[in-house]
Amino acid sequence: MTALVLCHFVLAACARPLVRRLGTRAFVVLALPPAATTCWAFAQWDTVASGASVTWSWTWIPAYDVTVGLRLDALAELMVLLAAGVGTLVLLYCASYFTDGTPQLAGFAGNLLAFTGAMLALVLTDDLIALYVFWELTTVFSYLLIGYDSEQRHSRRSALQALTVTTFGGLAMLVGFLIIGQAAGTYRISAILADPPPTSLAVSVAVVLILCGALSKSAIWPFSLWLPNAMAAPTPVSAYLHAAAMVKAGVYLVARLAPGFADVPVWRPVVLVLGAATMLLGGWRALRLNDLKLVLAYGTVSQLGFLTLLAGVGNRDAALAAAVMILGHALFKAPLFLVTGIVDHAAGTRDLRRLSGVGRALPYVCAVAVTAAASMAALPPLLGFAAKEAAFDALLHGDTADRWALGLTVAGSMLTVAYTARFVWGAFWRKPRVADTPVHRVGPAFLAPPAVLAACGLVLGPGVGWTDRLLSAYADTFPASAHPYHLALWHGWGTALLLSAVATAGGAVLFAARGEVTRISRRIAWPTADNVFGHLLLGLERLSLQTTGFVQRGSLSVYLATTLLVMLTGQLAVLGVDRPWRGAAAPRLWDVPLQGAVALLTCAAALLCLTVRRRMKAVVLAGLTGYGTALLFVVQGGPDLALTQFCVETVSMIVFVLVLRRMPVHFQESVSSWRRAVRIPVALAAAATLGVVVWVAAAARTAAPAGAAMVEETAHHGLKDVVATILVDLRAWDTMGESAVLAAAAIGVTSLIYLHRRAEGAGAPAETRGHTAWSVTTTPLTGLPHGDEGAPERGWLAAGDTLAPEHRSIVFEVVARLLFHPILVLSVYLLFCAENMPGGGFVAGLVAGVALITRYLAGGRFELAEAAPLQPGLFTGLGLFLSTGVALLGLADGTVLHAWTYHGHLPLIGDFHFGTPVIFDCGVYLLVLGVVLDIVRALGAKIDRQIERAAAADRAAAGQTGGAPPGPATGPAPETGGTTP
């Protein structure tokens, strides 16, 4: 069972090479996993039909009793056969529908197969949280499939609309799942249905939230707007997702939970009212549309309302009718969509006003369509008739609400017959005053998939009793009725048969008066839900723009002051009401007097930041506060923290300096004296409040500190550095998350900076290539030698000659040359000594970054390119790969991030041990190094290029006016500069 589901995703990942090699024939290969799943499901028929189930379970989150459990019972068997069987035929249909030259075909094929796997996992899972995960996977894949033709605005809008509606419904459903899981004490679906939680306000709210998710997925009013627009997808997507798979997920969820929650008071009103309303509104709208796919789309909306109503009634016979109707709907709606694709493919249009005589030109296609349409109209002897009879009988013998629903269902069935007849007439009949539509022949492989589905609907009409044992196994999960209904094509003369005849006759009358019905329908039509949705989005966008314009004034100081005031007000209110300092131990000013002195100097530097107007002074003073904090760590006995703080402050200050080169010297925001007088008290009050909050939080500890246990655990493994062990072993999950966030932040920042890189790449002025910003921005000093005359006899740096002599510092170059490799060696030492000495991957990566920054400051961006010729993304990606690989390696022992240690002996070295935390730390090292290198290249080399181009433009302008342009020292451009980073 698990292997079959995984095969879908594995083969979907291989879709691109398969399509590249085989073309459309790759769909035949991609159809193998769902075909195998269909065969496996048929093999399990007798087992699940007898009331047993096939299960598989794997504990996912033990602490919260979350498992990935798969369970095949009668309802899941039905859904698996539909999802896998129809999926197989749709994939085979794609081989004829598309051509080898169809753009983006590989992505479409992979997404369609992956959707099939997600749908199978959804109906098989036996856990609420896992069900939500697969639920959202189907949402994502449907978004990709609907938006397949991404160059069309309508496709993009339709895909986004479907994603928005179903995702919001899914989020509401997740909240309901969490409430139900907490109320029941488990998230296992079978256990919840076996012993449902007692009805309460929380359970009622949860049921409404879950129904929101189910109804939005199945396009039930008022969430039905997305399904008709989803017809922008290719026809195979409509046939599968919107007839047999995705839209059935909501109906499946209602049917799955109905045995346990149909008695909750809010359940039946929501399901019956919205289901009946959807059936009527969808059917009525289908009577006035001219696009064959839209006629089927609104017909699908109508049928989904009917299915939801039946699945939510909550008695045994209605559940049996819902199950057989789910089967019948898939077997007539999927072939009708596929036939529509064939007609569109052969005639070049889906407009029923332009189609004429297609039935004579394509008789076999017409026969398949008429067979499927007869089942949709519930005509005997097809499966649709047997299913509709079961539904009428179940509602007829229900309570008062069921009988009201029966009346609305009969009216909806009339509409179904009418739009079915309109579909067949519009697609195949010869119309007066309309010339026969020219069509091309259709191959048997193209027609075979819809023909197989229509034939199943025809065979299972008389043979519906073959399914009774399986579907009754699901229906029997409800309380038994006095006279249980059994599936058969003929139940004799009775009220149900009379209602079927009334529905057929009424539909025929509506079709006969189709012209007048269409005029009335258009005259009394409400605004479409799509228009309402569009106006809501437009209003929301305008409101957000107005709100943004009111709140976002462009002043960082206002933003910061607002944040601080809100925090200050909230914290003071809590402190004033709760007074949590009562009973708390009084804080000590310091442990040793040196702490007080360092803290006083740090506070003085922080206060001076409030008074300076030069940006550079502010950066230096802010850096001093960081260095002061590092000194406090040293005095307190935290060398790991101190070392990290020193490195972070150093790198941060250098980055600030690099950025400040392109910014004004002074802060440009004019600050009056009274505003400054307000800012200082606000800042001081916020700092004092935070200090009090930190003291109160520390004094509120009731549990024993975890430090002793961590020290003991570290010593148990023969290690000494507790901090490093926490980062790479005990709390490695936190480190993984922080690493991912760090990488994402660096990529985001540098992406913004390199936004116009392509436009700038070819336009770099030739006269600036080979020289750095330091050699083009100033006029050469008079009286100094230029070119090779003043250059040293040997180059201390690989690209040192890119600097003009008057801007070179031989001492700095020598120091950079001498210190570069020792600093790198120090970084490696800090990386591998972390088990017993201060260090670790993070600080080691920062130290290595400082070494590269030194090379850049000494020789410019060309020197940085020589020192680090590889792209920063390589280091970042390799670091994430190592960390994630070590994490997943732990699954071999059943736990993510499980640590292994290897003990060995080497000659001359002696005993040693090597553990996976070291590899994990190496990943952190590479990631931090890549992030630092990326930032330096973005904020250093990128700004250098901007300065060079601005200087070149100034020189060119000065040359045109006849002035003496400032420029770099003469001399040939060096060849050792490497490529521009």
Side-chain angles (χ1 to χ4, degrees), residues 129-488:
I129 304 302
L131 188 148
Y132 170 76
V133 172
F134 296 121
W135 184 281
E136 293 302 333
L137 277 179
T138 61
T139 297
V140 172
F141 288 124
S142 68
Y143 166 77
L144 297 174
L145 291 168
I146 296 171
Y148 160 72
D149 190 4
S150 57
E151 296 181 358
Q152 298 295 325
R153 180 177 179 271
H154 178 58
S155 295
R156 298 194 303 270
R157 183 181 182 276
S158 300
L160 185 60
Q161 186 183 75
L163 179 70
T164 302
V165 174
T166 55
T167 298
F168 276 107
L171 291 174
M173 182 187 71
L174 174 62
V175 177
F177 282 170
L178 295 176
I179 297 174
I180 290 293
Q182 290 299 312
T186 179
Y187 289 95
R188 186 173 291 274
I189 298 174
S190 56
I192 293 174
L193 296 179
D195 185 18
T199 302
S200 63
L201 178 60
V203 171
S204 298
V205 171
V207 166
V208 172
L209 293 174
I210 293 173
L211 288 177
C212 283
L215 300 182
S216 65
K217 197 77 162 184
S218 289
I220 303 301
W221 190 87
F223 307 109
S224 57
L225 70 160
W226 69 265
L227 181 56
N229 286 332
M231 294 302 109
T235 299
V237 175
S238 303
Y240 187 46
L241 274 68
H242 308 139
M246 177 181 171
V247 293
K248 293 285 178 59
V251 177
Y252 162 78
L253 185 61
V254 173
R256 174 62 72 190
L257 298 181
F261 297 97
D263 293 333
V264 176
V266 297
W267 177 279
R268 280 169 56 87
V270 172
V271 173
L272 295 182
V273 171
L274 294 184
T278 304
M279 185 179 185
L280 295 175
L281 292 175
W284 181 253
R285 182 73 189 280
L287 294 178
R288 68 172 188 266
L289 298 173
N290 298 314
D291 188 316
L292 293 178
K293 280 187 72 174
L294 287 180
V295 172
L296 292 179
Y298 279 98
T300 301
V301 171
S302 177
Q303 292 289 314
L304 289 172
F306 182 36
L307 289 173
T308 302
L309 185 151
L310 288 176
V313 166
N315 62 56
R316 190 257 179 203
D317 292 346
L320 180 62
V324 70
M325 195 67 202
I326 289 173
L327 175 62
H329 179 263
L331 294 182
F332 62 66
K333 191 56 66 70
L336 287 175
F337 271 115
L338 296 178
V339 165
T340 301
I342 294 175
V343 172
D344 188 16
H345 202 276
T349 181
R350 299 195 305 261
D351 192 335
L352 57 82
R353 295 168 298 185
R354 298 171 55 189
L355 292 169
S356 179
V358 176
R360 291 176 178 268
L362 302 174
Y364 296 109
V365 176
C366 180
V368 172
V370 169
T371 302
S375 182
M376 183 165 68
L379 299 179
L382 289 102
L383 180 60
F385 171 78
K388 190 69 68 71
E389 287 279 293
F392 286 169
D393 189 270
L395 295 175
L396 183 64
H397 294 90
D399 56 18
T400 303
D402 293 343
R403 294 192 182 93
W404 278 101
L406 174 62
L408 297 176
T409 299
V410 173
S413 298
M414 294 180 185
L415 297 175
T416 301
V417 174
Y419 67 69
T420 301
R422 188 166 183 267
F423 171 86
V424 175
W425 166 81
F428 299 102
W429 256 234
R430 177 173 287 173
K431 304 177 182 65
R433 295 183 299 278
V434 179
D436 285 356
T437 306
V439 297
H440 63 74
R441 293 186 59 188
V442 176
F446 203 4
L447 184 59
V452 170
L453 292 170
C456 288
L458 177 61
V459 171
L460 288 178
V464 69
W466 301 336
T467 66
D468 182 72
R469 186 163 166 257
L470 174 70
L471 302 183
S472 295
Y474 160 68
D476 290 340
T477 58
F478 292 84
S481 58
H483 304 285
Y485 187 89
H486 291 283
L487 296 175

Side-chain angles (χ1 to χ4, degrees), residues 574-585 695-696 699-700:
V574 173
L575 292 175
V577 173
D578 292 346
R579 298 184 180 182
W581 57 80
R582 290 179 295 185
W695 161 56
V696 169

Side-chain angles (χ1 to χ4, degrees), residues 764-772 775-776 861-862 945 948-949 951-953 955:
E767 61 267 24
T768 65
R769 293 174 183 169
H771 297 277
T772 65
S775 63
V776 297
R861 60 188 177 95
F862 290 105
R945 284 194 291 271
E948 294 163 16
R949 289 164 189 164
R955 292 172 59 198

Side-chain angles (χ1 to χ4, degrees), residues 390-762:
F392 286 169
D393 189 270
L395 295 175
L396 183 64
H397 294 90
D399 56 18
T400 303
D402 293 343
R403 294 192 182 93
W404 278 101
L406 174 62
L408 297 176
T409 299
V410 173
S413 298
M414 294 180 185
L415 297 175
T416 301
V417 174
Y419 67 69
T420 301
R422 188 166 183 267
F423 171 86
V424 175
W425 166 81
F428 299 102
W429 256 234
R430 177 173 287 173
K431 304 177 182 65
R433 295 183 299 278
V434 179
D436 285 356
T437 306
V439 297
H440 63 74
R441 293 186 59 188
V442 176
F446 203 4
L447 184 59
V452 170
L453 292 170
C456 288
L458 177 61
V459 171
L460 288 178
V464 69
W466 301 336
T467 66
D468 182 72
R469 186 163 166 257
L470 174 70
L471 302 183
S472 295
Y474 160 68
D476 290 340
T477 58
F478 292 84
S481 58
H483 304 285
Y485 187 89
H486 291 283
L487 296 175
L489 179 64
W490 179 255
H491 282 273
W493 303 97
T495 306
L497 182 62
L498 176 63
L499 293 176
S500 296
V502 170
T504 304
V509 171
L510 288 174
F511 172 70
R514 56 187 175 277
E516 188 64 26
V517 169
T518 300
R519 285 191 293 272
I520 295 174
S521 175
R522 290 174 177 170
R523 187 177 300 120
I524 66 174
W526 294 355
T528 63
D530 186 45
N531 288 335
V532 174
F533 181 79
H535 283 90
L536 287 176
L537 286 184
L538 182 60
L540 182 61
E541 182 179 354
R542 290 176 176 173
L543 177 62
S544 64
L545 289 175
Q546 293 175 357
T547 304
T548 302
F550 176 77
V551 176
Q552 302 290 332
R553 297 300 182 92
S555 174
L556 294 177
S557 60
V558 171
Y559 301 157
L560 185 59
T562 303
T563 303
L564 290 178
L565 285 174
V566 171
M567 182 275 296
L568 187 62
T569 303
Q571 293 292 347
L572 288 178
V574 173
L575 292 175
V577 173
D578 292 346
R579 298 184 180 182
W581 57 80
R582 290 179 295 185
R588 298 193 305 272
L589 292 179
W590 54 69
D591 292 326
V592 293
L594 183 58
Q595 288 179 329
V598 174
L600 185 62
L601 293 175
T602 303
C603 292
L607 291 174
L608 289 175
C609 289
L610 301 175
T611 62
V612 298
R613 299 192 61 187
R614 288 179 173 268
R615 298 180 188 271
M616 187 62 71
K617 284 185 179 179
V619 169
V620 172
L621 290 172
L624 288 177
T625 61
Y627 286 123
T629 304
L631 288 176
L632 287 175
F633 292 149
V634 172
V635 175
Q636 191 65 26
D640 274 295
L641 297 176
L643 185 59
T644 304
Q645 183 72 22
F646 276 123
C647 293
V648 169
E649 287 299 328
T650 301
V651 173
S652 300
M653 288 189 65
I654 293 173
V655 170
F656 271 121
V657 170
L658 295 177
V659 175
L660 290 181
R661 291 181 297 163
R662 296 288 288 172
M663 299 184 70
V665 176
H666 297 86
F667 292 107
Q668 293 182 322
E669 184 181 10
S670 58
V671 181
S672 59
S673 57
W674 72 268
R675 291 182 66 183
R676 185 178 289 108
V678 171
R679 287 181 179 184
I680 293 177
V682 170
L684 294 177
T689 303
L690 282 179
V692 173
V693 169
V694 171
W695 161 56
V696 169
R701 181 194 296 273
T702 57
M710 290 185 175
V711 171
E712 181 181 355
E713 182 70 15
T714 302
H716 175 72
H717 291 280
L719 308 176
K720 298 179 181 178
D721 192 338
V722 182
V723 175
T725 305
I726 291 173
L727 292 177
V728 300
D729 192 352
L730 303 180
R731 299 292 296 272
W733 266 118
D734 294 349
T735 305
M736 274 197 66
E738 292 161 3
S739 300
V741 170
L742 181 62
I747 292 171
V749 171
T750 54
S751 297
L752 290 175
I753 294 175
Y754 282 98
L755 185 61
H756 304 291
R757 182 175 185 177
R758 292 183 178 178
E760 296 174 354

